[in-house]
Amino acid sequence: MTSETTAARLVEFDDAGLETWCDDETFEVTGARIGEYAAATNDPIEAHLAGKVASPVFAIVPVFEAMMMPVIEVAPMDIFGRVVHGEQDFHFHRAIQPGDKLVSRAKATGYTSRSNGTAITILIECRTEDGELVNEQYLTAFFRNIDAGKTVGEAAPAHKFDENLRAQPPVAVVPQHVDDDQTFRYSPASGDPVPLHLDDQVAKDAGLPGIIAHGLCTMAFASWAVLTEVGGSDVHRLKRFAVRFAKMVFPGDDLETRIWKVGSADGVTTYAFETVRGEDVVLSDGLAEIAD
């Protein structure tokens, strides 16, 4: 392929859209919805399945309507079809529980122009109606082969995997399987209706071999792997959970989540992890912080 066909297209982003909160979105949490999400992500933790407390990545559900709104305040609509979910980073202040009435808002904090595209950082806040901060989330929206021409504002906090960890064996390796009907269960449980996950023909028309699994579903797989192996299956202890979405996952895939201990400080132990399919890393730069 020639350099001309791979050159990034120069597009002007709207800096006035930065640091502008979107309208509030409200969501009422039920035990049934918590349990449905756990079942849709093959979560084995009983408290999640029973709807007593939400699994970590369930935190995306209450903010789903708000999270992408700031992107269109910064990026032109004619390139919106190129956007992919690049990274997700949850910072938890407390776990979500049934009966919570949550209010979410989001804003773009900045964008970074790279040789292969431009990343917009979205900060999402999720609070109770009384204003208690439940979690903060950093979403990186990535536009492939789009050059914004500059870097502006603040990027998401780093969570890069330290390659030196490979000199030691992981503390845990968790085999996982993506069911053939996984996307059809995850879509209603999460509220994500994107047809690439549900319609084989739409996926093929987009140049894919078939429907793809939701990236956040794969992230949820990794979350229960980490919690069950090094977190005592206690979501209340999880303080941060971050990944980069490296490759697509498909129904029927066999995965493996590998976990390394990084170190402990101030009552919190940090772990690095990745999820692989054979030789392919599908979730990279995984980071989990767990209270001791």
Side-chain angles (χ1 to χ4, degrees):
M1 187 174 288
T2 66
S3 59
E4 287 79 12
T5 60
T6 59
R9 170 185 162 195
L10 187 62
V11 173
E12 184 177 359
F13 281 28
D14 186 359
D15 294 356
L18 298 173
E19 297 296 336
T20 301
W21 291 107
C22 73
D23 292 339
D24 289 350
E25 296 288 344
T26 59
F27 185 91
E28 188 163 352
V29 182
T30 66
R33 188 68 180 272
I34 289 172
E36 182 186 9
Y37 189 88
T41 56
N42 297 1
D43 192 326
I45 298 174
E46 182 55 36
H48 303 165
L49 290 167
K52 295 178 181 178
V53 64
S55 55
V57 184
F58 179 88
I60 203 70
V61 178
V63 309
F64 191 81
E65 295 298 324
M67 68 182 189
M68 292 300 287
M69 292 303 295
V71 176
I72 62 176
E73 297 295 327
V74 177
M77 278 300 297
D78 67 336
I79 65 167
F80 195 75
R82 291 174 178 252
V83 70
V84 296
H85 196 162
E87 301 181 25
Q88 184 73 26
D89 185 357
F90 294 98
H91 295 246
F92 301 105
H93 296 273
R94 73 158 172 84
I96 294 173
Q97 300 172 345
D100 279 341
K101 294 181 179 179
L102 301 176
V103 180
S104 302
R105 63 177 186 168
K107 67 176 180 179
T109 64
Y111 57 87
T112 303
S113 184
R114 305 169 183 163
S115 60
N116 61 340
T118 297
I120 300 179
T121 297
I122 307 298
L123 170 62
I124 309 160
E125 285 186 356
C126 183
R127 299 178 181 268
T128 65
E129 285 187 318
D130 297 331
E132 177 192 5
L133 185 59
V134 176
N135 62 68
E136 296 159 288
Q137 307 178 31
Y138 292 90
L139 181 155
T140 302
F142 186 67
F143 290 85
R144 289 191 178 117
N145 296 323
I146 293 295
D147 179 8
K150 59 183 179 178
T151 293
V152 178
E154 294 187 16
H159 52 93
K160 188 73 175 173
F161 185 91
D162 181 357
E163 291 295 330
N164 292 324
L165 291 170
R166 299 194 190 281
Q168 62 193 55
V171 296
V173 177
V174 183
Q176 300 166 303
H177 179 73
V178 183
D179 298 327
D180 290 341
D181 67 346
Q182 200 86 52
T183 64
F184 297 96
R185 290 157 42 216
Y186 186 82
S187 180
S190 65
D192 184 343
V194 174
L196 289 175
H197 307 297
L198 303 169
D199 190 314
D200 207 51
Q201 191 57 53
V202 169
K204 289 177 178 178
D205 288 346
L208 303 171
I211 62 173
I212 58 174
H214 301 74
L216 286 159
C217 182
T218 307
M219 187 179 187
F221 273 43
S223 74
W224 59 251
V226 169
L227 280 180
T228 55
E229 293 297 322
V230 296
S233 296
D234 184 359
V235 68
H236 299 283
R237 293 172 55 193
L238 188 61
K239 302 305 177 185
R240 184 181 178 190
F241 197 73
V243 302
R244 183 173 74 87
F245 301 103
K247 287 186 180 293
M248 289 179 289
V249 172
F250 299 90
D253 277 354
D254 288 310
L255 307 177
E256 192 174 79
T257 296
R258 303 167 179 170
I259 306 162
W260 287 263
K261 183 177 179 179
V262 177
S264 298
D266 301 322
V268 174
T269 300
T270 300
Y271 295 90
F273 67 91
E274 63 186 11
T275 299
V276 302
R277 175 189 56 231
E279 296 299 315
D280 292 331
V281 178
V282 298
L283 292 181
S284 64
D285 297 334
L287 179 71
E289 296 178 355
I290 300 176
D292 297 338

